[in-house]
Structures are given as C-alpha cells and as structure tokens.
Amino acid sequence: MKVLMFGWEFPPHISGGLGTACYGLIKGLTHHNQDIIFVVPKLWGDEEPMADFVNASDISIDYREKRFKSIWKNLTYLEVSSFLVPYLGPEEYQKFTDYALHDRSDVNESIFTTKYQFSGKYGKNLMEEVSRYALTGAQIARDRSDFEIIHAHDWLSFPAGIAAKEISGKPLVAHVHATEFDRSGESVNQIVYDIERAGMHAADHIIAVSQLTKNTIVKKYGIDASKVTVVHNAVLDASIIISSFQKKVPEKIVTFLGRITFQKGPEYFVEAAKKVIDRDPNVRFVMAGSGDLLNRMIDRVAELRIGTKFNFTGFLKGKDVDHMFAISDVYVMPSVSEPFGISPLEAVRHNTPVIISKQSGVAEVLTNAIKIDFWDIDAMADAIFALLHYQGISRMFKELGSEELKKLKWEHVASKLITVYEKTLSETS
C-alpha cells in the first residue's frame, strides 16, 4: 500500500513527541513493506532515508487551476506576534494578532509563480505556512496520484490532508496526537479548535493515541465513536539501555522532562519536590524543558527556598535526553492532560522507575508504573520518597517495566494502522 502522509516535523529536527511518533510509525510501516510518501514543510538533509520524503519548499504551485483557487479561498491564517509552538498553552495563543479570512478569488499571479520557502519552524508566520502547506498538499496529491490513502498528523497538517482529499478523491485518515483541550484546558484557541474540528469531520477515519483522546474527540468535537480507532504509541527500541553515563552529584535525582506548560503540570512537580526535600535533603530535582511557565516555575522554586536542590536544564534532545534518563533515579510525568506521553516509556527503557498521572494515555498501556492524580502532590511526594528509599519497590518496577516494553513496539502499532487503512479503503470504495 502507498500512503501519502503529511507531518510538520521529523527527527532530528523536532520540538516534541509528534516528530518522534511520526518516525516510529514510518519505521513500523516500512517493516510491513508499506510505501510512504512523507511530506514536511522543510527538509534539512540529515533525515534518515526511511521514506520517500517530499520537501514542501521544493514544490511549485499551479494556482491557476480552478480547484486550487477554491481551496485557497477557504483557507485562513493568523499573523502571530511571537514564537509559537503547536504544543504550547493559552498564554502563547493569546498572543495571536490580526486574524483574517482570505477570500482569495483574486489571487495575484506573483503569489504562487515561485516556490514558497517554508521555515520548517514555529515562528510568527506559522498559520500562513499552514495555509500554504495545504495548497502544497493539493499540488502533491495531483502530481503523485499513485497513492491509495492520505494520512495527516495533528492540526498543522489537517488542512493539507483535506486539500489532498479534495484534489485526489482519496480517503483521509486524521491522526490526533493531542487536542486543543489538552494544550489549553477549557481556554481553547477558537481558530485552532476550528481547524481540528474541520479535519476530524472531513476525515474518513480518525486515529486517537489513547482512549482518553478518543473520549475528547467524541465529546468535544461531535464525532461518532465508530469513526475513531484507538492506536496507542510505542517506544523505538524495547531493549533496556545499559548506560555508561555517571552522575556528577552525590544526591539522588528526580526528573521532570517535557514542555513546561499548563498541560504537563510542572507546578505540581515543584510542590511535590518541596515536600520530598523537607523529608530528605539528599535529593536533587531536575526540570528539563522549556515553555511558557518556565519563569513562573523558577520563581516558585525561589519562593520555596529549594533552589540549591533544583536544576533547570532547558530544552534537551538526542543524547542529552538519554543522559538525563540514565542518571535519574525516578522520572515523574504529572501531566494535567496527556493524550499519550512517550517519555515514560523512554525512561523505562533506561531502567528508570516512573510515576505518571492517571490523566495520561500512557497509563492505559504501562502497567508497571506508579499512577497518581496530577493534583495530588502528597501522593506524588510519597511515591517519589518510596522509590528513592525502598529498593525492593524500585527494583520491582525496573524488572517488570523492562518486560512490559517488549510488547510496545512500533511494528505492532503499524500493524493496527494498516488494518485501519484497509477498513477505511473498503468502506470508501
């Protein structure tokens, strides 16, 4: 089967779990001999050659075609006044400015007579790039007509998926890795929500990364439950890593690694840290990541007077992530709303016991972890203390976790995805 797939990022150039998930899915699909045309706004040249990559920045648009004008007429974009990452929360979204609905039936020929150079990033022209990417998707769908099905990842790529479907008539699978309600709680950005909803309703089938996400899709976006299939994520390599990294501090290390945003619950981690340090000062807490709540977390650590036992590393990737997991004694993911959450699986792979919130999709598949409500900082602190001080408990989670990882492979995920493709094709043929 040949799949036309739209994403926004791909390793090694990523800002979060979306790119990692795309990598795992493509690797799993190629394991099952599926052909993937993977489109990204910008290729950097150092991507692993595991798919037929298409650089949207290389595509020239034949906008004169009537169908292209119709697509462009209905596209919207926002001019964004500051840096925007699609994973971030309401404070970033509130910085949107100058929303305009473009009725572009009078498109100037100069707009698409040359290739559009995408930044491949999440800067101030993000929403304009989303719209242009959609038109590029339509052009690719017209030029590469040998594919059988379209697969679009999250809201950034949904307009491209819709446009490709309109041009080609091929069925569309929308893959929901996170929703606006995960990122922003109830303070959703209406434009992003509208893009998500349009993508879900236009899709012939929807993939949700967890039952938690499926419930949100059904309740908040008005989608029939029969149209949504849950396909959990996995880990790239299920083998346990025996690392040579050594700690350079005498204390035990407890780590939070993720975006420092509302969705990830960093404030609960800080409050739990205070309770643990009060009981045992021989513990060091690390918050690895970046986000709109970073400065607030730094201020709160100062207010609690635990700064000498607390480190902020900034955004980590690649080997730095492996290093962080390897030297950690406990990994904590206190997410308020986590559609899935691959990082706990990565921590288990590094033989690190994990504490995860019950409000996460990964809690549906990872049995051997301590699960707490994100808001229960007393339970979080008790769990951290127990894993640090009772070696029998820690050893049990390490041993059972390593066995559990063997069942969470991307080739298994891909097999389920192929079943969804086949079902969608049979229902739309």
Side-chain angles (χ1 to χ4, degrees), residues 178-192:
T179 71
E180 180 64 0
F181 292 93
D182 298 307
R183 291 181 291 267
S184 306
E186 294 299 322
S187 303
V188 299
N189 177 272
Q190 188 64 40
I191 306 305
V192 176

Side-chain angles (χ1 to χ4, degrees), residues 42-68:
K42 183 179 178 67
L43 287 176
W44 300 89
D46 53 356
E47 294 83 4
E48 186 177 333
M50 55 197 302
D52 180 4
F53 283 104
V54 176
N55 185 357
S57 296
D58 289 340
I59 304 299
S60 296
I61 308 297
D62 184 9
Y63 75 92
R64 298 170 184 83
E65 188 169 328
K66 185 177 180 181
R67 290 179 298 174
F68 282 54

Side-chain angles (χ1 to χ4, degrees), residues 112-156:
F112 292 118
T113 51
T114 59
K115 299 169 186 174
Y116 183 78
Q117 291 298 311
F118 293 89
S119 69
K121 298 180 180 179
Y122 304 98
K124 64 180 182 179
N125 297 320
L126 175 63
M127 296 306 289
E128 180 179 356
E129 292 201 4
V130 168
S131 293
R132 307 269 185 163
Y133 187 51
L135 209 59
T136 302
Q139 183 73 47
I140 294 167
R142 194 194 69 167
D143 295 344
R144 303 284 295 266
S145 58
D146 57 335
F147 63 90
E148 297 166 70
I149 197 164
I150 304 160
H151 187 155
H153 293 278
D154 264 2
W155 67 272
L156 291 160

